[in-house]
Amino acid sequence: MIAALTVALTGVVTVSGPKNNARDRTEAANARIRILVNDETYSSAAYDTRLKMALELTGELEAEEMIRNVFYDEHSKMITFEFADGTLGGIMLKDLRTPDGFMPMN
């Protein structure tokens, strides 16, 4: 049976079911990260606040063994990590969008 992802009203994703394997944990972690980065409060926050929010979430995910090897690179303005299944991931903290909302192509 494939584990089910459940999103509570609080925006927390939990994994339930008989198999809580690395792929399930990776999908759950990725869903929680997407909830954070797509949240209006996060996206409109100052850089230091986004950093704090992202580090808080990655700390929770690391404690739950959904991600590991969390590293903050001040130069690139990114938090990088490894998902439970070995896939590399990251959260870009600097908003690269232009004032009209588009990502630069160059």
Side-chain angles (χ1 to χ4, degrees), residues 4-23:
L5 292 179
T6 307
V7 180
L9 292 176
T10 61
V12 175
V13 177
T14 57
V15 178
S16 60
K19 291 185 101 177
N20 188 3
N21 63 29
R23 183 174 172 219

Side-chain angles (χ1 to χ4, degrees), residues 8-100:
L9 292 176
T10 61
V12 175
V13 177
T14 57
V15 178
S16 60
K19 291 185 101 177
N20 188 3
N21 63 29
R23 183 174 172 219
D24 295 334
R25 291 193 318 270
T26 294
E27 289 176 3
N30 195 39
R32 287 173 60 182
I33 291 166
R34 276 188 271 124
I35 288 169
L36 173 69
V37 299
N38 291 322
D39 183 78
E40 183 63 33
T41 302
Y42 174 86
S43 61
S44 64
Y47 177 83
D48 290 340
T49 303
R50 287 194 311 273
L51 174 61
K52 181 180 176 186
M53 293 170 76
L55 286 173
E56 185 175 300
L57 176 60
T58 54
E60 291 171 8
L61 296 174
E62 192 170 34
E64 295 170 27
E65 298 181 352
M66 294 180 160
I67 64 172
R68 58 184 169 258
N69 302 325
V70 176
F71 176 75
Y72 167 60
D73 181 9
E74 188 175 357
H75 178 72
S76 68
K77 308 290 191 237
M78 274 188 85
I79 297 173
T80 58
F81 49 85
E82 183 180 343
F83 285 102
D85 69 356
T87 305
L88 299 178
I91 302 172
M92 179 149 309
L93 299 164
K94 184 176 180 183
D95 188 358
L96 298 176
R97 291 175 293 186
T98 61
D100 56 7

